[in-house]
Amino acid sequence: MYFGSVRFFKNMILLAVIVAILIPSCTSIGYKNKYEDLLEESSIRKTNELQIIEEIHRIEAEKPAYQEKYPDFYAPQPIEATEVTDNTVYLTFDDGPSQRTYEILDILAEQEVKATFFVIGADDDFSKQAMKDIVRQGHTLAMHTYSHQYKKIYTSVEAYLDDMYQIFTLIKETTGVTPTHFRFAGGSVNSYNLQIYQDLISEMLRRGFIPFDWNVSSGDASSSILPTNTIINNVLSGVGKTTRAVVLMHDSYYRTTTVRALPAIISTLKEQGYSFDKLTPQTKPVLFAYN
Ligand code: ZN
């Protein structure tokens, strides 16, 4: 009989051996698969982590070094939502302070008009007092450039920041006001900064500063001094072509006709229904490159 026979016991032992071998190996195969899955998963994760780290390093490496310059050279608040105010004229005066500054201030006060002064790096007592008075009389004091030397400031983004940090510091220390607006010397796009103007604009925007070109030129920067009437006509016809005029004028020693033109410009535009304002963080920028 089979049960109880030697063959039965032999088979039982064989079965036990087979079971003894199979069960752990089956289990271990299961474990092995799971382990391999885990290993694979973690290696994918590791690869992903490595890729992310590499990506961060790449971005860090690509981040221009000039972003680290002047950690205190930032606008006090990020650029705000802007609004467009129709029939508004923004008078802007570049290159001051000068012997003309108080003449301009007197006319603005008399006409009860606020304006914007993009000043340069004059650090004598008279100029500093003029900056204080521009602020005290409620106008916007903004950065133009410190040296106003195109060949120097437009050699690189670093060179530009070096110069702008100087005018930023001068305004801040003189008046206690942190400037938020700036105007490029020669405008945002000019023959000196063609290679780098986009980098300049984005770096200044990153720092929270608001760039302003102009859409109406008084023409008073021409090498010859323009007659008063020409300046008046240039401004009036320019303003007539836009709903929101940012007018370029100059506050410098020789620009006497600009001062003489100012009362007629303001009173005529008032008669035509325009109002005047200074640039504020809410004023929508006018930029050659992005209009
Ligand atoms: Zn200028």
Side-chain angles (χ1 to χ4, degrees):
M1 121 167 207
Y2 177 69
F3 290 108
S5 71
V6 176
R7 203 166 141 242
F8 168 77
F9 281 110
K10 260 188 176 170
N11 286 344
M12 284 300 288
I13 291 165
L14 191 64
L15 185 69
V17 170
I18 289 168
V19 167
I21 294 169
L22 272 184
I23 291 176
S25 32
C26 285
T27 331
S28 86
I29 286 167
Y31 277 131
K32 202 173 165 229
N33 286 342
K34 231 180 200 167
Y35 177 71
E36 280 175 352
D37 283 352
L38 277 174
L39 205 69
E40 201 183 335
E41 197 181 296
S42 81
S43 84
I44 288 171
R45 208 182 306 139
K46 252 197 188 137
T47 317
N48 285 344
E49 277 170 16
L50 278 176
Q51 279 173 345
I52 292 166
I53 291 167
E54 271 172 25
E55 184 65 8
I56 291 170
H57 285 166
R58 197 183 59 76
I59 293 167
E60 293 262 306
E62 276 182 6
K63 194 170 98 178
Y66 56 68
Q67 290 192 3
E68 305 292 329
K69 285 192 105 165
Y70 308 122
D72 60 335
F73 183 35
Y74 281 83
Q77 69 273 321
I79 292 172
E80 295 175 30
T82 54
E83 60 194 23
V84 176
T85 319
D86 284 350
N87 295 323
T88 305
V89 177
Y90 299 92
L91 298 176
T92 67
F93 299 92
D94 286 11
D95 299 355
S98 79
Q99 303 302 315
R100 307 278 79 81
T101 304
Y102 283 98
E103 298 168 6
I104 295 169
L105 284 175
D106 287 348
I107 295 166
L108 295 175
E110 204 175 300
Q111 300 267 3
E112 297 180 346
V113 158
K114 299 297 179 213
T116 302
F117 292 78
F118 290 100
V119 295
I120 59 168
D123 62 357
D124 56 283
D125 288 344
F126 170 84
S127 301
K128 284 170 148 179
Q129 188 56 49
M131 287 187 200
K132 285 183 201 166
D133 288 331
I134 289 168
V135 171
R136 195 175 50 78
Q137 296 188 24
H139 304 289
T140 296
L141 185 62
M143 302 176 281
H144 189 27
T145 161
Y146 192 89
S147 69
H148 210 275
Q149 292 173 22
Y150 295 16
K151 281 185 183 163
K152 184 179 145 201
I153 63 176
Y154 292 136
T155 51
S156 64
V157 180
E158 286 83 355
Y160 183 74
L161 291 175
D162 290 344
D163 182 276
M164 291 301 281
Y165 183 63
Q166 273 185 282
I167 188 64
F168 173 80
T169 309
L170 177 63
I171 291 176
K172 213 171 139 183
E173 287 178 356
T174 304
T175 66
V177 170
T178 305
T180 52
H181 297 78
F182 72 104
R183 173 171 284 156
F184 286 98
S188 61
V189 187
N190 57 65
S191 57
Y192 294 88
N193 72 4
L194 267 184
Q195 306 301 320
I196 56 167
Y197 77 90
Q198 284 165 321
D199 293 336
L200 296 178
I201 293 171
S202 54
E203 176 59 7
M204 289 300 277
L205 285 172
R206 192 188 67 80
R207 291 173 184 262
F209 298 114
I210 310 166
F212 262 92
D213 283 321
W214 57 92
N215 54 19
V216 174
S217 175
S218 66
D220 70 348
S222 71
S223 49
S224 59
I225 300 298
L226 289 186
T228 306
N229 273 338
T230 309
I231 294 176
I232 295 172
N233 291 336
N234 285 347
V235 175
L236 295 183
S237 70
V239 171
K241 289 178 193 144
T242 176
T243 51
R244 194 176 69 98
V246 176
V247 182
L248 172 69
M249 304 177 102
H250 287 82
D251 168 12
S252 54
Y253 182 79
Y254 293 105
R255 308 292 162 196
T256 49
T257 53
T258 301
V259 178
R260 269 183 240 138
L262 200 52
I265 288 171
I266 296 173
S267 49
T268 310
L269 289 173
K270 275 183 177 172
E271 281 163 23
Q272 293 176 2
Y274 290 95
S275 56
F276 291 82
D277 205 355
K278 59 184 176 180
L279 299 176
T280 73
Q282 288 79 41
T283 318
K284 188 174 177 241
V286 165
L287 261 187
F288 300 151
Y290 299 94
N291 284 345

